[in-house]
Amino acid sequence: MKRFYGMDALNRFLLFIAGCFSIAAMLLAIGHVAVWYWVAFAFAAISILWFIFRMFSKKRSKRRRRELYIYKRLLYNIGSAVLPDREYLNDLKEYKYYACPQCAQRLRVPRGKGRIRITCIRCGNRFVKKT
Ligand SMILES: [Zn+2]
């Protein structure tokens, strides 16, 4: 089991999509619109087959580097389109925000520097935080 690629964010998404389309197909089966039932069924089948293919794939690097990367970039692009404040998102990636425990001043510190001592610009209070 360990040699298989297994679960990742894209597989969870595919499983979710398959579930949605399965439910849609079941609901549509009650009605009389046969075409839409088959469309929903086809999407459910494609999602679940792709999920199974990825789950048990042995080409780990291809799954991870190409597909997951494309998926995550797509998600990021959709996210930036929905949330117009792109600069703020980039800012959050590079900096971490803390509030001074003494005066609640908002302080911005660079990420990935380990444990650092932060000096409050307003009241001069010092505290240690992980970045
Ligand atoms: Zn302060």
Side-chain angles (χ1 to χ4, degrees), residues 99-105 107 119-125 127:
C100 170
Q102 201 163 281
C103 70
Q105 166 71 37
L107 301 163
T119 306
C120 176
I121 49 160
R122 197 205 230 162
C123 68
N125 175 39
F127 57 102

Side-chain angles (χ1 to χ4, degrees), residues 12 14 31 33 46-47 76 78 104-105 120 129:
R12 275 194 292 275
L14 287 173
V33 196
I46 290 165
S47 310
Y76 180 79
I78 291 166
Q105 166 71 37
C120 176
K129 283 280 182 196

Side-chain angles (χ1 to χ4, degrees), residues 24-42:
M26 275 188 267
L27 292 175
L28 289 165
I30 300 163
H32 299 284
V33 196
V35 179
W36 290 111
Y37 164 75
W38 285 111
V39 168
F41 180 79

